[in-house]
Amino acid sequence: MAALTFNEKQEGKRLVLHITGEIDAKTAPELKLKLESAVGNGLVNIICDCSGLDYIASAGIGVLNSIQKFLKEKSGEIVFTNVKKEIRDTMDLMYLTKKVRLFNTLQEALAAL
C-alpha cells in the first residue's frame, strides 16, 4: 500500500513542502487537500521538495496540474526541486514540465520565488 507524508515549512509567503512516499490514485487526494489548504491560507508560492518522492501516477500529475492553473490565476506558482529521473520522466510524459519550473536544489527554488 502506498504511503504519503508531508513535512511543511513556511518561508515568508512561500510554502516548502517536503513530499515523501508515493502519489497514486489513493494518495493524490491527500496531496490535493494539503495544497488547497496552503492556498486557502494565502500561500500562493509553493515549493515541492521531491527528494523523498519515489513514485507519481497520472492522478498525482492531475492534482499538480490543477493546482498550478489555480495558482497562476492568483499570480502564484508551484515549483519542484530535487526531482528524481523517474518522477521527471512521468512529469515529461504528462507535459507538466512544460507548465512548471524544476530546480536542482531547494536554495535555487527559494531564490527564484
Side-chain angles (χ1 to χ4, degrees):
M1 184 170 128
L4 186 64
T5 58
F6 306 103
N7 182 357
E8 57 188 291
K9 181 179 176 189
Q10 196 168 332
E11 294 271 348
K13 292 195 178 234
R14 300 167 296 196
L15 174 69
V16 178
L17 189 64
H18 296 272
I19 304 171
T20 305
E22 300 179 359
I23 304 171
D24 60 14
K26 287 189 187 278
T27 59
E30 292 175 52
L31 177 63
K32 185 175 186 198
L33 284 173
K34 180 61 74 179
L35 292 170
E36 286 176 345
S37 172
V39 173
N41 289 328
L43 299 168
V44 295
N45 288 308
I46 300 172
I47 300 168
C48 292
D49 184 338
C50 300
S51 56
L53 185 61
D54 297 318
Y55 173 80
I56 190 165
S58 59
I61 299 290
V63 166
L64 296 174
N65 198 31
S66 67
I67 290 291
Q68 176 270 333
K69 284 182 192 172
F70 186 70
L71 288 172
K72 194 172 184 181
E73 292 169 6
K74 295 190 169 293
S75 299
E77 181 177 17
I78 185 168
V79 300
F80 301 87
T81 184
N82 297 315
V83 179
K84 296 175 184 169
K85 183 187 181 319
E86 301 80 23
I87 306 299
R88 185 182 174 119
D89 288 348
T90 303
M91 290 177 158
D92 284 342
L93 190 65
M94 304 289 292
Y95 300 105
L96 185 65
T97 52
K98 296 199 181 308
K99 302 173 189 168
V100 298
R101 296 192 290 168
L102 277 68
F103 296 93
N104 292 323
T105 67
L106 180 58
Q107 290 73 26
E108 288 176 15
L110 285 167
L113 288 181

